[in-house]
Amino acid sequence: DTAVSQTPKYLVTQMGNDKSIKCEQNLGHDTMYWYKQDSKKFLKIMFSYNNKELIINETVPNRFSPKSPDKAHLNLHINSLELGDSAVYFCASSPNSGSPPRSYEQYFGPGTRLTVT
Amino acid sequence: GEDVEQSLFLSVREGDSSVINCTYTDSSSTYLYWYKQEPGAGLQLLTYIFSNMDMKQDQRLTVLLNKKDKHLSLRIADTQTGDSAIYFCAETFFGNEKLTFGTGTRLTIIP
């Protein structure tokens, strides 16, 4: 019973290409997130959607565009890929309803390792 | 601003206790979390603590919070090889959907 799933798990592509990563959660959560983890394991939030509405948009290049067709899905599309985009991208979800702190607890997907050559 | 810092590495002998430290700077933080990331996997929540608590114990895990010094620690008793992972602390406050994560501490167990 996968809670937060991401596809693909590995993605190797060349500079300049456009690629998408998909994320789905079956937890009934209201909020979903995209994080980028670099080679030093630093984790930085990129975007967050609550019920299909963008609520967090950190300083991320315009080449990155999230799309949330429904509250169970949050996809990440990346245009004109660059070497510096190589990282592990994590999707996460949280209830954001009910009582904190459990309502803020985030459940993470297994990650997508993106390698740009 | 929000800035959460951790030591990057910690090595502990199997059977000893591990203490992982975290320093945060946002005084409005209300909820503090510890996450574990095993190799090749996503983050899993281990435990959390309210900022109005000093301590929380959950089996082998003990969380200590010193709000005056903005210092959070995670103690793992009787450390096992399965505890090898990267541990992240994270903070947020009421009404904020965003978790701010620390830099992560890589825990290595020495047999």
Side-chain angles (χ1 to χ4, degrees):
Chain A
D1 289 354
T2 305
V4 182
S5 59
Q6 295 178 228
T7 53
K9 189 165 174 61
Y10 300 97
L11 183 54
V12 181
T13 188
Q14 291 184 324
M15 282 174 56
N17 285 347
D18 303 339
K19 290 294 177 186
S20 291
I21 307 171
K22 295 186 176 181
C23 178
E24 177 180 359
Q25 55 98 0
N26 62 4
L27 298 166
H29 288 169
D30 290 334
T31 307
M32 296 183 73
Y33 308 80
W34 277 111
Y35 287 87
K36 179 180 179 181
Q37 186 175 46
D38 63 22
S39 58
K40 292 181 180 174
K41 304 299 183 184
F42 297 151
L43 199 64
K44 295 192 87 170
I45 189 164
M46 301 172 70
F47 301 103
S48 175
Y49 271 72
N50 183 283
N51 276 317
K52 302 194 297 177
E53 184 182 338
L54 182 65
I55 55 171
I56 295 174
N57 185 353
E58 296 292 297
T59 308
V60 176
N62 290 339
R63 300 181 293 103
F64 290 79
S65 53
K67 282 192 172 52
S68 182
D70 55 60
K71 79 171 194 177
H73 295 85
L74 180 62
N75 304 323
L76 184 65
H77 189 75
I78 315 169
N79 289 329
S80 303
L81 278 154
E82 299 178 359
L83 292 177
D85 298 332
S86 295
V88 181
Y89 291 84
F90 286 101
C91 177
S93 71
S94 67
N96 273 343
S97 59
S99 301
R102 299 312 296 251
S103 58
Y104 296 137
E105 177 182 334
Q106 294 188 16
Y107 293 75
F108 282 76
T112 296
R113 182 176 293 277
L114 171 65
T115 304
V116 183
T117 61
Chain B
E2 299 165 3
D3 199 8
V4 185
E5 294 185 353
Q6 302 177 234
S7 300
L8 291 181
F9 302 98
L10 176 66
S11 294
V12 172
R13 291 205 175 276
E14 191 174 357
D16 287 351
S17 293
S18 306
V19 180
I20 302 168
N21 295 305
C22 171
T23 303
Y24 60 99
T25 59
D26 191 340
S27 58
S28 60
S29 289
T30 310
Y31 309 109
L32 296 137
Y33 303 80
W34 282 104
Y35 280 81
K36 177 184 182 182
Q37 184 182 24
E38 295 182 357
L43 279 69
Q44 287 179 286
L45 179 71
L46 285 178
T47 188
Y48 58 86
I49 190 168
F50 289 96
S51 60
N52 61 359
M53 298 168 65
D54 296 326
M55 185 182 93
K56 181 179 179 184
Q57 187 153 4
D58 185 0
Q59 299 182 332
R60 291 192 299 123
L61 305 178
T62 303
V63 179
L64 294 177
L65 177 61
N66 180 331
K67 201 172 178 186
K68 175 174 164 289
D69 294 338
K70 297 190 182 77
H71 184 262
L72 180 73
S73 68
L74 174 70
R75 178 176 178 269
I76 306 172
D78 187 23
T79 309
Q80 305 296 310
T81 53
D83 296 324
S84 291
I86 300 175
Y87 291 81
F88 292 90
C89 61
E91 61 173 359
T92 191
F93 52 88
F94 185 77
N96 181 18
E97 293 89 356
K98 178 179 157 183
L99 280 182
T100 301
F101 283 87
T103 47
T105 299
R106 185 184 294 273
L107 175 63
T108 302
I109 312 306
I110 305 165

